[in-house]
Amino acid sequence: MLEADRASAGLGIELVDEGDGAEVRMTVTGEMVNGHGTAHGGYLFLLADTAFACACNSHGPVTVAAGADITFVAPAWEGDELRAVARERVRHGRSGLYDVTVLRGEQVIAEFRGRSRTAAPVKGTEATA
């Protein structure tokens, strides 16, 4: 899934680890800085969302975001290398809940919570035995 993600690739986001969740990283560039001189929150959200997508799609079936929110707790600056670490909290049926922490070193920059939904097969594409 990440190999086809042109938005994440265009920002230099790399998958660091996957398994029980996922970890991705990105360096804040000058193009990502807002008028206050800090990383634009949209880029931080995108980094966290990419980790979330990797984690919730690690089980096989296509899974998409049903919703997400983020809390920013510290600024990030140009040149900062950020990591987003996603952990699965619970999956039930087609729904899942994931927490993602965005870090600079060990400092928390943002906390993200994503709600996933496994996509229903499109009629006529179901696997047959």
Side-chain angles (χ1 to χ4, degrees):
M1 187 251 355
L2 188 59
E3 291 174 5
D5 183 345
R6 293 175 24 197
S8 295
L11 295 176
I13 294 175
E14 301 174 312
L15 180 63
V16 176
D17 188 32
E18 63 182 334
D20 181 27
E23 182 177 337
V24 298
R25 72 174 167 221
M26 171 185 84
T27 300
V28 178
T29 66
E31 292 77 21
M32 298 175 184
V33 174
N34 64 24
H36 298 294
T38 60
H40 190 290
Y43 290 106
L44 302 178
F45 187 98
L46 190 145
L47 177 65
D49 187 51
T50 299
F52 164 54
C54 290
C56 68
N57 277 282
S58 66
H59 299 290
V62 172
T63 304
V64 297
D69 58 79
I70 192 165
T71 301
F72 303 108
V73 296
W77 311 95
E78 182 177 351
D80 284 351
E81 183 175 291
L82 303 178
R83 297 179 300 123
V85 180
R87 295 289 175 245
E88 182 177 280
R89 302 292 295 154
V90 66
R91 277 190 312 144
H92 181 71
R94 293 176 44 215
S95 298
L97 186 64
Y98 293 79
D99 286 334
V100 182
T101 301
V102 178
L103 302 146
R104 174 185 46 239
E106 296 304 312
Q107 182 183 13
V108 175
I109 300 298
E111 291 288 347
F112 171 106
R113 175 158 275 190
R115 296 168 302 282
S116 69
R117 187 79 171 159
T118 300
V122 175
K123 187 174 181 176
T125 64
E126 298 88 0
T128 56

